[in-house]
Amino acid sequence: MAAETTPATAGVSNHLKRNVGLIGLLWASETSIIGSGWLKGAERALVTAGPAAIIAWGIGSLAIIILALVHAELGGMFPVAGGSARFAHYAFGGAAGASFGWFAWLQAASVAPIEVEATLSYTGHYSFASNWTTASGTLHGWGYVVAILLMAVFVAMNFIGIKTLAQVSNVIMWWKIAIPLATILIVAVTHFHPSNFSAGDGFMPHGIEGVFGAVSGSGIIFSLLGFEQAIQLGGESSNPKRDIPLATILSILIGAAIYILLQVFFIGAIPVANIPHLWANLNFPGISGPWAGITTLVGLGWLAKILFIDAVISPFGTGVIYTTATSRYSIAMDKNGYWPKGAGRLNKNGLPWVGLLTAFVVGCACFINYSNWNNFVGFITSASVLMYAGAPLAFGVFRSKLPDWERPFRLAGGAVIAPLAFVVANLVIFWSGWPTLEGLGIAILLGYVILIVTQVFKLNPTSLILDLKAAGWLPVYLVGMGAIDWMSDFGPGHSFAFKSPVIHAWWSDILVVTVFSLVIYYWAQAVSLTKEKIDLAIDTTSVAELPSH
């Protein structure tokens, strides 16, 4: 097997340290899942879908569980840093791998700044911070300075080392789980009105389209993101073959249960006098910090004070761990040859310092274009699910071409679940809507510019397998998803060729996306790399990180 192409710099570690156990991996994923989503997601989903938001959470949870099962098998097979950024590289070569690697890095780099925005939207409660955000939670004035300082803290925390960081995450995670559960219990006992579910303009005021729109656009999928953190830390797991699949699956089950209960009791807690005629017009004092606002409204001021504290702790834990993930993706992008050599460089303590600094700069830049939690969440959702979409494609390839590779967790029914997972991922992307996909498309083009510059000027000596046949489906996939969305009710309303949506009924949306997804899935399987090229891709980028298989 080939060794790394470039030796370590003298005195600098070339390998991450494997000292994170099962609880550390589980809490790394869980602390990513229980973040700003619990503080804001229930309110946004209710405004978008009415009380039928409960159904949207169920759909979103099922979608993420399906994707998590696929990732659990792949994470056990390849316990390497930034795993989600590498699966497509192994299966389809550099062209596809660079794309999905960029999607992975992009979504991870975007999460820390949105967690900062969530924290600051709650701080408006305090007089000294009242001018940091507008009434809608948009950054304003000194809020930008504080946001940058919080990003710097996220990065600084990562320089203490992954073992210490995991221990800190363990402590934070107990708080992050305890507070939502306590809130659910207290509200259930003291202020729960079952009649709220049929109040306003009804249980499902915007039909099934509103439910689907809430899945992607109101923060539901975003809230459930994070299970893959156990996979991204695979290169630092002490027992990766056992712990990565287990941590991945447990984290999403715990998170999904908490979020569904939060939605139920948020709806039930709203005083009857504050329920509007239209759920879309929901408004009450302190709504920019929904849970703190509602607990204040019903007379639970002491609980609201705790929630204002949690508004710092919960997003803080998520922001720190996603900063960690971003730096690990930088390692993968470096090792795979997509970015200039040195992007994943480690310091003498084995920490990816270049990746951490890059995460800081990009995170701060996000505040310029996305200064509000509500308008940022759809972008991150689409980028994340686009990253997840690469996993089921690679899953099918590895099942057929690496049948004897050791799988600590083997997904039963994988031949059916993998294409289903790809369909589910594309439906979530589709429901995000055209404005979100338009912004994502611009970000994707930027990623290709970085790749092209790296290759043209030979900024990375790693041999990149650019098998264009194996990635021939990719441009059709990306353009096709945009075109389908454009022609639907989730598009801009009309196009140059069509005065009204061509794909109109909700069932036709699902049918068209499903058929298109299956065509892309089986096309990708048919043109994937040969076993010999897959072995070469693994050997030249990851062999030094992998335990014996």
Side-chain angles (χ1 to χ4, degrees):
M1 290 186 173
E4 291 291 341
T5 55
T6 304
T9 302
V12 178
S13 171
N14 197 36
H15 303 286
L16 296 168
K17 298 176 181 179
R18 291 189 176 272
N19 52 17
V20 181
L22 172 62
I23 298 301
L25 293 176
L26 173 61
W27 276 176
S29 286
E30 205 64 58
T31 201
S32 299
I33 293 172
I34 309 296
S36 63
W38 100 261
L39 295 165
K40 299 181 77 72
E43 180 263 333
R44 296 312 307 163
L46 178 58
V47 168
T48 304
I54 297 169
I55 298 174
W57 281 100
I59 293 172
S61 298
L62 181 61
I64 292 295
I65 287 170
I66 291 171
L67 289 164
L69 289 171
V70 172
H71 277 76
E73 177 168 316
L74 297 180
M77 290 177 67
F78 303 107
V80 295
S84 296
R86 304 209 204 185
F87 302 146
H89 177 88
Y90 300 155
F92 304 105
S99 300
F100 285 96
W102 173 244
F103 305 155
W105 189 91
L106 190 65
Q107 66 87 27
S110 302
V111 171
I114 199 175
E115 296 301 308
V116 169
E117 292 175 358
T119 295
L120 295 183
S121 72
Y122 268 71
T123 59
H125 166 78
Y126 302 104
S127 59
F128 68 85
S130 59
N131 293 323
W132 291 357
T133 61
T134 64
S136 63
T138 301
L139 292 179
H140 173 73
W142 282 98
Y144 284 100
V145 177
V146 177
I148 292 171
L149 291 175
L150 286 175
M151 282 297 305
V153 172
F154 290 165
V155 172
M157 285 291 295
N158 273 270
F159 277 100
I160 66 177
I162 189 63
K163 184 176 182 179
T164 304
L165 186 61
Q167 293 170 344
V168 171
S169 294
N170 291 347
V171 175
I172 291 176
M173 194 59 240
W174 287 112
W175 168 280
K176 292 179 68 172
I177 288 182
I179 299 303
L181 290 178
T183 302
I184 289 169
L185 178 61
I186 293 166
V187 170
V189 172
T190 62
H191 296 84
F192 185 72
H193 311 289
S195 60
N196 287 3
F197 291 87
S198 57
D201 47 346
F203 179 75
M204 192 183 293
H206 306 297
I208 195 66
E209 289 90 350
V211 173
F212 291 152
V215 171
S216 298
S218 68
I220 289 177
I221 291 294
F222 167 79
S223 299
L224 294 166
L225 299 176
F227 67 83
E228 80 283 356
Q229 297 308 325
I231 298 171
Q232 313 322 340
L233 296 176
E236 292 143 284
S237 171
S238 57
N239 189 354
K241 294 179 179 180
R242 180 200 68 184
D243 293 349
I244 291 177
L246 194 56
T248 300
I249 295 170
L250 285 176
S251 66
I252 189 61
L253 292 176
I254 294 170
I258 291 174
Y259 275 116
I260 291 173
L261 289 173
L262 284 167
Q263 184 68 69
V264 170
F265 290 104
F266 182 84
I267 296 171
I270 301 173
V272 175
N274 292 95
I275 295 178
H277 293 296
L278 301 175
W279 283 111
N281 295 331
L282 179 67
N283 192 21
F284 52 80
I287 196 172
S288 63
W291 269 107
I294 203 70
T295 50
T296 300
L297 193 64
V298 300
L300 296 172
W302 63 271
L303 179 57
K305 291 179 181 178
I306 294 175
L307 295 180
F308 282 119
I309 297 173
D310 185 73
V312 175
I313 295 177
S314 285
F316 180 83
T318 302
V320 169
I321 201 64
Y322 264 98
T323 303
T324 306
T326 306
S327 66
R328 272 55 181 179
Y329 282 132
S330 296
I331 295 173
M333 299 297 275
D334 182 338
K335 287 181 178 291
N336 287 1
Y338 305 149
W339 282 5
K341 192 66 180 175
R345 182 173 298 162
L346 310 180
N347 65 13
K348 64 182 181 180
N349 295 319
L351 297 173
W353 67 274
V354 176
L356 288 170
L357 295 180
T358 304
F360 170 74
V361 173
V362 173
C364 292
C366 287
F367 297 135
I368 299 173
N369 197 45
Y370 295 102
S371 57
N372 182 286
W373 193 93
N374 298 337
N375 61 27
F376 201 179
V377 69
F379 175 88
I380 297 176
T381 296
S382 296
S384 300
V385 177
L386 193 55
M387 170 195 73
Y388 292 154
L393 294 172
F395 181 101
V397 174
F398 298 148
R399 276 291 183 94
S400 63
K401 296 184 178 179
L402 299 178
D404 299 325
W405 195 284
E406 183 178 355
R407 289 168 168 81
F409 169 76
R410 187 177 183 88
L411 177 60
V416 174
I417 293 177
L420 174 62
F422 187 61
V423 171
V424 166
N426 289 332
L427 284 170
V428 173
I429 294 169
F430 171 79
W431 292 330
S432 295
W434 176 254
T436 296
L437 296 190
E438 185 177 30
L440 183 60
I442 294 171
I444 290 171
L445 291 176
L446 176 61
Y448 286 131
V449 170
I450 297 173
L451 173 66
I452 291 170
V453 169
T454 300
Q455 297 304 307
V456 170
F457 293 98
K458 302 186 184 304
L459 302 180
N460 193 316
T462 300
S463 178
L464 190 60
I465 304 173
L466 281 174
D467 193 315
L468 297 182
K469 178 183 177 183
W473 51 272
L474 181 59
V476 177
Y477 167 56
L478 295 176
V479 174
M481 283 299 300
I484 293 171
D485 203 89
W486 180 280
M487 294 186 290
S488 76
D489 283 332
F490 292 91
H494 63 85
S495 70
F496 297 114
F498 309 106
K499 294 183 178 180
S500 62
V502 174
I503 307 171
H504 186 62
W506 67 267
W507 57 267
S508 63
D509 293 345
I510 295 176
L511 179 62
V512 171
V513 173
T514 298
V515 171
F516 178 75
S517 299
L518 291 176
V519 169
I520 295 296
Y521 180 88
Y522 289 107
W523 178 6
Q525 303 305 300
V527 299
S528 62
L529 296 180
T530 63
K531 182 182 184 304
E532 292 72 25
K533 288 186 176 181
I534 292 174
D535 288 338
L536 179 61
I538 295 171
D539 287 355
T540 54
T541 62
S542 307
V543 64
E545 299 173 80
L546 289 169
S548 173
H549 62 87

